[in-house]
């Protein structure tokens, strides 16, 4: 069993990005500029946006977090988005999800100019990604692909089973791994909450990607010997007696599954750090106008 060390790969890629930023600056250009909108005070969102801000600083990007209270109206938020769309100083921006219930997330996503949509959530980017055109690919699936690539994990002809059909992870990763080339050429099965006999599918997976958001859902008996297991889940659970009072759990029961795997991601330190780095990659692409010219 080998651990897929997302933290290590993320640090490596950050060094590569930082060197590109240096080149841009040396040639008289301005560093990429990312803006994140954060609504409310959700603990996990605060952490993730904090990681994004820190990563920008590490690679030499300009970054800014625009914070708003839960009470912001949809109209007000859409106005902020228009301003960012029209601000030539901003290369890309994101609106951290989830949003308060009174705001329609899909409306917000569609208000973002696809050229600045470094989250890759806008239907134009999703559509372009789906047919293999240059696009901003959403950060978590892109991070998974990058992890597979950096560890040279073979994918051609492999059976990849994806648990979860969300717009931001399950669907796009299933699409990417079924596309031609490397990492890809997989036979992909998408399973979800209405799939009967889940175990029948998961035990045939050479590559098992779990993105359900259900802590420790995948047990050893669900995994084939020698499988590659990628755990996208990240749930905070109470942990009395620890310093923080809580800890993070993945969707996979790591302790009993790990010994069966050829490769497995830890939580934390697996997919999460790659998600951050993929956002940086998209922002760099935006600054270089690589996707839309
Ligand atoms: N708009 N909303 C938008 N874009 C995104 O790409 C996200 N996502 C998801 C939630 N909402 C979003 C993220 O940023 C999930 N996500 C994310 C980002 C970073 C990490 C996890 C999820 C991360 O840094 N994970 C660390 C541990 C974090 C911790 O200590 O809580 C890890 O090692 O897995």
């Amino acid at each position: 069993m080998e651990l897929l060390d997302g933290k290590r790969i993320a640090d490596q890629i950050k060094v590569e990005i930082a060197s590109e930023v240096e080149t841009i600056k040396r040639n008289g250009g301005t560093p990429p500029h990312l803006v994140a909108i954060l609504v409310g005070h959700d603990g996990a969102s605060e952490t993730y946006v904090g990681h994004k801000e820190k990563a920008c600083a590490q690679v030499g990007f300009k970054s800014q977090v625009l914070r708003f209270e839960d009470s912001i109206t949809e109209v007000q938020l859409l106005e902020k988005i228009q301003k960012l769309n029209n601000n030539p100083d901003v290369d890309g921006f994101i609106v951290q999800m989830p949003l308060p219930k009174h705001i329609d997330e899909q409306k917000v996503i569609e208000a973002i100019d696809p050229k600045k949509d470094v989250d890759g959530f806008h239907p134009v980017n999703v559509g372009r990604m789906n047919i293999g055109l240059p696009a901003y690919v959403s950060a978590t699936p892109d991070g998974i692909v990058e992890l597979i690539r950096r560890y040279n994990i073979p994918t051609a002809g492999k059976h990849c089973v994806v648990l979860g059909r969300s717009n931001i992870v399950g669907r796009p990763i299933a699409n990417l791994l079924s596309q031609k080339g490397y990492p890809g050429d997989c036979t992909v099965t998408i399973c979800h909450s209405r799939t009967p006999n889940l175990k029948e599918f998961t035990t045939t997976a050479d590559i098992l990607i779990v993105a359900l958001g259900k802590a420790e859902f995948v047990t050893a008996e669900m995994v084939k010997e020698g499988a590659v297991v990628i755990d996208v889940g990240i749930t905070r659970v109470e942990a009395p007696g620890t310093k923080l009072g809580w800890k993070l759990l993945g969707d996979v029961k790591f302790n009993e599954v790990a010994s069966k795997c050829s490769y497995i991601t830890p939580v934390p330190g697996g997919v999460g750090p790659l998600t951050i780095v993929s956002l940086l990659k998209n922002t760099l692409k935006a600054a270089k106008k690589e996707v839309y010219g």
Side-chain angles (χ1 to χ4, degrees):
M1 187 276 288
E2 190 177 346
L3 215 53
L4 294 168
D5 188 345
K7 173 81 173 54
R8 184 175 65 83
I9 301 294
D11 287 343
Q12 217 176 317
I13 298 172
K14 279 191 244 176
V15 170
E16 295 166 14
I17 295 174
S19 118
E20 279 216 47
V21 175
E22 277 308 312
T23 307
I24 291 171
K25 286 203 260 185
R26 210 177 316 117
N27 296 333
T30 49
H33 183 189
L34 173 71
V35 173
I37 292 182
L38 177 56
V39 179
H41 300 275
D42 175 73
S45 295
E46 296 262 10
T47 303
Y48 303 157
V49 170
H51 287 178
K52 291 172 186 184
E53 222 182 342
K54 185 171 157 221
C56 282
Q58 285 172 334
V59 299
F61 285 9
K62 187 174 165 190
S63 80
Q64 199 183 349
V65 179
L66 301 180
R67 293 169 177 273
F68 302 105
E69 291 302 322
D70 276 320
S71 55
I72 190 171
T73 67
E74 188 178 276
V75 169
Q76 286 168 331
L77 184 58
L78 292 173
E79 279 170 12
K80 304 289 177 196
I81 290 171
Q82 275 320 317
K83 274 199 177 161
L84 292 169
N85 283 341
N86 296 326
N87 183 349
D89 189 41
V90 174
D91 295 303
F93 66 97
I94 66 161
V95 181
Q96 188 71 19
M97 303 293 174
L99 290 171
K101 293 229 175 333
H102 65 275
I103 298 176
D104 181 341
E105 289 183 351
Q106 197 55 33
K107 216 165 163 180
V108 166
I109 288 169
E110 290 185 43
I112 299 171
D113 181 344
K115 295 187 178 65
K116 294 194 176 187
D117 168 39
V118 285
D119 255 336
F121 290 173
H122 191 286
V124 167
N125 281 311
V126 176
R128 290 175 65 94
M129 180 277 287
N130 261 268
I131 57 174
L133 288 176
Y136 298 116
V137 175
S138 70
T140 302
D142 184 71
I144 295 169
V145 166
E146 194 63 51
L147 201 53
I148 291 173
R149 194 202 318 272
R150 299 264 171 165
Y151 275 88
N152 292 309
I153 294 170
T155 56
K158 301 294 182 191
H159 185 205
C160 173
V161 174
V162 179
L163 300 191
R165 53 180 160 180
S166 72
N167 287 345
I168 68 171
V169 188
R171 260 172 224 294
I173 192 61
N175 184 283
L176 289 169
L177 289 178
S178 68
Q179 287 187 15
K180 278 191 184 166
Y182 182 78
D185 288 329
C186 286
T187 307
V188 179
T189 303
I190 303 182
C191 300
H192 46 73
S193 54
R194 305 299 294 268
T195 304
N197 307 323
L198 209 52
K199 196 180 136 192
E200 272 178 33
F201 293 95
T202 58
T203 49
T204 67
D206 303 306
I207 302 172
L208 181 62
I209 299 179
V210 194
L212 293 168
K214 292 185 178 173
E216 301 196 314
F217 180 84
V218 172
T219 54
E221 57 160 27
M222 295 170 76
V223 178
K224 184 169 87 170
E225 198 68 45
V228 176
V229 173
I230 298 188
D231 188 351
V232 184
I234 180 160
T235 307
R236 287 183 178 205
V237 294
E238 282 185 33
T242 61
K243 206 165 69 182
L244 296 166
W246 52 271
K247 61 175 179 175
L248 297 173
L249 288 180
D251 284 356
V252 176
K253 253 194 181 140
F254 185 91
N255 286 343
E256 64 173 64
V257 171
S259 61
K260 286 187 97 173
C261 302
S262 55
Y263 294 92
I264 185 168
T265 57
V267 176
V271 174
L274 265 302
T275 298
I276 306 281
V277 155
S278 289
L279 175 65
L280 299 179
K281 279 166 58 188
N282 279 344
T283 305
L284 183 62
K285 281 185 185 171
K288 291 165 78 179
K289 306 210 178 329
E290 265 179 23
V291 176
Y292 288 98

